Amino acid sequence: MLRQALEPGLRPAVLHIAQPVDGGVARVVADLVTDQVAAGLRAAVACPRGGVLTEAVRALGADVHPWRAGPAPGPLLLQEVLQLARLVARVRPHVVHAHGAKAGLAARLALRGRTPTVFQPHTWSFEGVGAITARLARSWERYSARWADRVVCVSEAEQRTGERAGVEARWTVIRNGVDTERFLPAADVRPRGLPPLVADLPESTPLVVCVGRLCRQKGQDVLLAAWEHLLRRLPNACLVLVGDGPDAEVLRANAPASVRFAGAEADATPWYRAADLVVLPSRWEGMALTPLEAMACGRPVVVTDVDGARESLPPGHALFCLTPSQDPYGLATAIGDLLLNAPLRATLGRQGHQYVVSAHDVRHTAGAVADVYRDVVGVRPG
């Protein structure tokens, strides 16, 4: 019904506008395009060159339209908005789906309600910035909500954060999902499969893995501070940081010998499967993908209590797996307690896998997004 209603002729049913083009946002967009192409819809993406998104979308057979845009508002914003307005006028999609604060800013300025628009912040523009910038960003989000037919939040907590900032919108919560056919537990073989970077470790070495962009948001600096406490309990433990980013050099300079850096990985699945425990010490999120991917692979997680974290955990897991944000000692305690309790880790891993399969499969997410598209163009399922 959605395909017939949205796609007469050659117009794309959906134009995704994305900035950034790496990390979780890029994976969400790629997963949506995968599902939409499989359903027979013509989906297209407008995004800056570089990153993993362009290659992933083209591999699916979808169109990619280069959009020259930086990661944050700046002196070139007007040019970016005008460029985007021309692009949308040329492509003439039925629905525009803007991902991320910068894409949401530019898309709403360019369209101002003339095309059905879905805005998905992933994290709000006023989080993680200075006080003056945050105040301006909150004012902008309150004003521009009129130009979004729907604001899609990835967690109820993210919606509440928007509401507390005074944003009045037509809300829909669609929790993040992951590909449970790709992220699977490893076969139960011994010894465990270790990536080359840690192949020299004894089988008994407690291995903690953190997957995420190396930046302030993801909190690896807090994890390194926690690691000093942890080594007093478990001096033979090893931590691997998987990812790259602006803080890489500083983190390397401050890391002890028991911390190893894997760099950016196109597929983090081998790291999830090798880990005894996966940790994400974020300062802010909407709902992070890393804990969902790790649990889909049957691994327990420790996450900080930021937006979306509680909603990403199975019932009862918060007691063991949730710690306050920016609390190195609390983080170290949670990590150490789980590393010293193998039966509990095994139970949490099994329960986490079952929970993600039932509640966070990406196909459920894509179906809910398709329902939003139907609604914003005035189409109901037949």
Side-chain angles (χ1 to χ4, degrees):
M1 177 66 176
L2 183 60
R3 179 182 178 184
Q4 288 83 359
L6 293 188
E7 199 176 11
L10 298 177
R11 294 170 61 190
V14 186
L15 174 65
H16 296 275
I17 302 173
Q19 169 57 277
V21 292
D22 292 298
V25 172
R27 294 204 297 279
V28 168
V29 175
D31 284 340
L32 288 175
V33 173
T34 298
D35 184 85
Q36 289 156 7
V37 169
L41 287 176
R42 291 189 66 244
V45 175
C47 65
R49 298 180 188 274
V52 301
L53 183 57
T54 295
E55 182 178 344
V57 170
R58 284 182 175 153
L60 296 168
D63 293 333
V64 178
H65 301 276
W67 172 44
R68 295 185 299 277
L76 297 179
L77 177 61
L78 178 59
Q79 294 181 33
E80 295 166 348
V81 170
L82 293 175
Q83 179 196 165
L84 189 58
R86 290 192 295 268
L87 191 157
V88 174
R90 184 175 72 252
V91 175
R92 297 176 57 244
H94 290 273
V95 179
V96 165
H97 189 160
H99 299 265
K102 177 59 179 294
L105 166 65
R108 286 178 288 176
L109 280 173
L111 299 176
R112 285 170 288 169
R114 291 189 292 267
T115 300
T117 302
V118 176
F119 169 48
Q120 190 166 349
H122 296 278
T123 60
W124 287 104
S125 59
F126 46 79
E127 296 187 279
V129 295
I132 294 175
T133 303
R135 186 161 58 248
L136 292 172
R138 282 192 290 268
S139 297
W140 156 252
E141 295 293 354
R142 288 193 291 266
Y143 182 78
S144 63
R146 70 193 68 191
W147 293 328
D149 296 272
R150 195 66 53 85
V151 175
V152 172
C153 292
V154 296
S155 64
E156 291 181 5
E158 185 180 49
Q159 177 180 331
R160 290 194 296 270
T161 296
E163 290 173 332
R164 286 195 299 269
V167 179
E168 296 181 1
R170 293 172 287 276
W171 304 99
T172 296
V173 173
I174 301 176
R175 292 180 177 85
N176 273 338
V178 297
D179 187 348
T180 56
E181 295 178 359
R182 172 187 171 193
F183 295 102
L184 292 167
D188 188 17
V189 295
R190 292 291 184 269
R192 62 180 173 182
L194 291 176
L197 180 67
V198 292
D200 62 310
L201 295 178
E203 171 70 10
S204 60
T205 300
L207 181 60
V208 177
V209 170
C210 175
V211 178
R213 181 169 166 79
L214 303 184
C215 62
R216 184 174 182 275
Q217 178 194 353
K218 299 299 181 180
Q220 289 94 347
D221 59 323
V222 180
L223 179 54
L224 289 186
W227 198 249
E228 295 181 8
H229 296 292
L230 179 82
L231 291 176
R232 296 168 190 158
R233 296 178 70 184
L234 291 162
N236 65 327
C238 178
L239 169 64
V240 176
L241 302 184
V242 181
D244 202 355
D247 290 356
E249 184 176 343
V250 172
L251 292 170
R252 287 177 183 274
N254 290 286
S258 59
V259 178
R260 304 186 184 187
F261 290 78
E265 294 275 6
D267 182 8
T269 307
W271 284 112
Y272 293 136
R273 291 173 175 172
D276 291 300
L277 185 65
V278 176
V279 179
L280 189 65
S282 302
R283 285 181 166 88
W284 70 89
E285 294 283 356
M287 175 179 282
L289 292 178
T290 290
L292 300 176
E293 293 170 351
M295 288 189 291
C297 291
R299 288 297 178 260
V301 299
V302 169
V303 295
T304 46
D305 193 3
V306 295
D307 279 2
R310 289 179 180 272
E311 294 169 61
S312 70
L313 294 174
H317 281 221
L319 177 63
F320 311 102
C321 304
L322 201 66
T323 71
S325 181
Q326 302 188 73
D327 178 1
Y329 183 77
L331 184 62
T333 300
I335 294 171
D337 288 349
L338 282 176
L339 288 179
L340 291 168
N341 193 335
L344 177 58
R345 290 202 313 273
T347 297
L348 295 176
R350 286 193 302 271
Q351 292 175 348
H353 171 72
Q354 295 165 357
Y355 175 72
V356 172
V357 169
S358 64
H360 288 280
D361 189 288
V362 72
R363 281 156 282 275
H364 302 161
T365 301
V369 170
D371 289 340
V372 169
Y373 295 164
R374 291 188 186 97
D375 197 35
V376 299
V377 297
V379 179
R380 296 296 183 269

